[in-house]
């Protein structure tokens, strides 16, 4: 039980997303302030009063895991939970979790060496996609359409990572999408908005220029998000879904524990920060009872 | 007076050009010099004013 109304917003830097969140939390009557890495020592030492909750919004994956773990061990609840952030920041761990929970997901395998990438791509058949386990914004994601692609990827890898420290990677079956993927923002257990990310590129990250179009949350999207929340626990997520044109099946591609929303909110008109702040206020009220 | 419109003046750490920072900016927030485009991070904010540092560069493990 806590009577504190203090909410910390752990950040690498304060982007428009976090600025919106601070405003929304304060509108809910909470005391919200940014938490930078240098402020963490006094918080975990208990020198600045017990916060009721910390929202983990660090851009840096390492920092997000480190901060959430330390806060959790100091008795400060975090959103999302540290274990959830760890899973979401690793596409390999996500694929294992999805398999355990029967969540529809493209065939995804770990590879711990260049030779294993060659063999796995050959076994799965091309096209296949090779991804770093902890990449974001579409960085380092390669489509293998021919053995020459695999050899070009291997040559680059040998140059940049002689000792193989950047392994594992995941090799994933390529999903032939209908020119867009879907991003559903989940607050608590509730999908609050869904968008199509439309692009001519096979990668549909908004960071790579994909256009945002709001769509209704369908029953199928809701069901998949519910399965994801059952596996990860309630939290704040960006759930990425892809439609496979060859089977019409909707698959969960990945889940982001630190979804961006400032630019997309401006386009789809849903106040994501307001939904999240209201959820935080409700959660704190419930835990104080 | 509407505090959200109030500004304070800071000097760019790269080109020394003075630029205005709104007073409702928070610690950790990023602001840009209008002259050279250098991004700055607000590292301290007090009654005495604000202190800026160069904004962090995008790193390998950054992402949403």
């Amino acid at each position: 039980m806590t009577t504190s109304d203090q909410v910390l917003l752990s950040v690498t830097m304060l982007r428009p997303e976090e600025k919106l969140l601070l405003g929304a939390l304060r509108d809910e009557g909470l005391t919200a302030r940014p938490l930078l890495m240098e402020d963490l020592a006094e918080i975990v030492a208990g020198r600045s009063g017990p916060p009721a909750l910390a929202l983990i919004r660090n851009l840096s994956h390492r920092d997000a895991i480190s901060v959430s773990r330390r806060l959790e061990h100091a008795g400060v609840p975090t959103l999302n939970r540290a274990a959830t952030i760890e899973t979401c920041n690793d596409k390999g761990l996500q694929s294992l979790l999805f398999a355990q929970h029967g969540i529809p997901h493209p065939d995804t395998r770990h590879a711990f060496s260049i030779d294993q990438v060659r063999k796995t791509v050959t076994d799965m058949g091309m096209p296949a996609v090779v991804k770093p386990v902890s990449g974001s914004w579409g960085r380092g994601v390669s489509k293998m359409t021919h053995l020459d692609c695999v050899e070009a990827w291997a040559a680059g890898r040998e140059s940049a990572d002689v000792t193989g420290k950047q392994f594992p990677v995941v090799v994933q079956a390529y999903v032939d999408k209908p020119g867009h993927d879907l991003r559903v923002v989940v607050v608590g257990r509730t999908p609050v908005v869904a968008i199509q990310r439309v692009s001519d590129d096979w990668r549909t990250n908004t960071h790579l220029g994909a256009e945002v179009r709001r769509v209704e949350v369908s029953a199928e999207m809701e069901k998949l998000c519910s399965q994801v929340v059952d596996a990860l626990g309630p939290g704040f997520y960006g759930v990425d879904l892809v439609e496979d044109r060859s089977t019409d099946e909707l698959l969960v591609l990945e889940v982001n524990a630190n979804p961006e929303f400032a630019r997309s909110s401006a386009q789809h008109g849903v106040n994501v920060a307001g939904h999240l702040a209201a959820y935080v206020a409700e959660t704190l009220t419930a835990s104080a009872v | 007076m509407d505090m959200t419109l109030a500004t304070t003046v800071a000097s760019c750490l790269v080109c020394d050009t003075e630029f205005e920072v709104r007073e409702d900016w928070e610690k950790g927030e990023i602001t840009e010099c209008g002259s050279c485009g250098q991004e700055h991070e607000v590292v301290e904010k007090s009654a005495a004013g604000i202190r800026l540092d160069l904004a962090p560069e995008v790193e390998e493990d950054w992402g949403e």
Side-chain angles (χ1 to χ4, degrees), chain A residues 12-14 19 26 34 36 38-39 59-62 136-137 139 166 183 256 258 260, chain B residues 22 24-30 39 41-43 55-56 58-64:
Chain A
T12 302
M13 61 185 192
L14 205 68
K19 196 69 191 289
R26 289 167 184 163
L36 295 172
E38 65 190 27
D39 305 324
L59 267 169
S60 160
H61 289 184
R62 277 181 294 255
S136 285
W137 298 335
R139 285 179 310 211
Q166 305 285 324
R183 157 64 61 93
N256 292 283
N258 189 13
E260 292 166 337
Chain B
R22 285 204 324 268
D24 68 342
W25 284 65
E26 305 268 355
K27 187 177 175 184
E29 199 158 350
I30 302 298
E39 288 189 329
E41 177 185 353
V42 180
V43 291
V58 173
E59 291 187 34
E60 188 188 330
D61 77 326
W62 282 28
E64 63 169 353

Side-chain angles (χ1 to χ4, degrees), chain A residues 112-130:
Chain A
F112 290 85
S113 67
I114 288 174
D115 273 347
Q116 243 175 31
V117 170
R118 286 192 183 98
K119 182 173 185 318
T120 310
V121 169
T122 307
D123 288 351
M124 288 175 78
M126 286 174 272
V129 179
V130 177

